[in-house]
Amino acid sequence: MCNRLLLSILALVFLSAPTVQANLLVNGDFDDNTGYMLNSDGWFSAPSITGWTGNETIEIQTQATIGVTPYSGDYYAEINADPGQTGTFSFEQMFATAIGQEYKVEFWYRSRQANDGAFDVSINGGTETVTNDDATQWRMYMFTFVADAENEKL
């Protein structure tokens, strides 16, 4: 995974079987934050939130945090939760799949600052590098994979 200290992943993650078009992820829009309270700047961080587990911490923000309107819902996730920390930040979720079924991964991303907007999305042994230096608008990204297990990790 790319380590970009000032990079935000502001994403709505959507995962579906192409013929069904149903979201298979729990809390794909990061709006279910039961049990957490926003600080006065409009964000909070935690090692996990409903459906997602982070390797360090997951930072959930609102429009009040840096003036960015979420693509969908009221919240978005920022992957580099603390620019003072070093290392690779990530969050993941396990979900059920049918072996041999093709799935489509769609998500929206916007760079926090107009430089070094990059991160990796990994699933089923494959990795897609996403880049976007545009800090003014959300962009949709999509790729497919074929499940080779009853559960996959995004």
Side-chain angles (χ1 to χ4, degrees), residues 6-130:
L6 296 178
L7 168 68
S8 294
I9 291 182
L10 315 175
L12 167 67
V13 179
F14 181 77
L15 180 70
S16 66
T19 57
V20 178
Q21 295 297 315
N23 191 347
L24 301 179
L25 297 179
V26 174
N27 197 19
D29 61 5
F30 308 106
D31 272 4
D32 183 355
N33 301 306
T34 305
Y36 296 99
M37 295 185 61
L38 299 173
N39 64 21
S40 61
D41 292 326
W43 62 274
F44 73 89
S45 63
S48 64
I49 62 168
T50 302
W52 298 96
T53 302
N55 72 327
E56 292 279 339
T57 187
I58 301 171
E59 188 171 298
I60 302 298
Q61 299 184 356
T62 65
Q63 181 176 358
T65 309
I66 59 173
V68 172
T69 301
Y71 177 77
S72 171
D74 296 320
Y75 301 92
Y76 56 84
E78 180 177 85
I79 196 167
N80 67 327
D82 183 352
Q85 295 177 353
T86 60
T88 301
F89 296 88
S90 66
F91 49 91
E92 62 190 31
Q93 182 172 144
M94 293 290 292
F95 57 96
T97 57
I99 296 172
Q101 173 71 48
E102 181 178 71
Y103 292 87
K104 177 173 64 174
V105 178
E106 289 183 5
F107 59 94
W108 292 85
Y109 165 69
R110 173 183 173 159
S111 180
R112 180 175 182 175
Q113 296 181 347
N115 59 6
D116 287 341
F119 66 98
D120 292 340
V121 177
S122 300
I123 192 163
N124 193 18
T127 299
E128 297 284 333
T129 298
V130 175

Side-chain angles (χ1 to χ4, degrees), residues 11 77 150:
E150 292 180 357

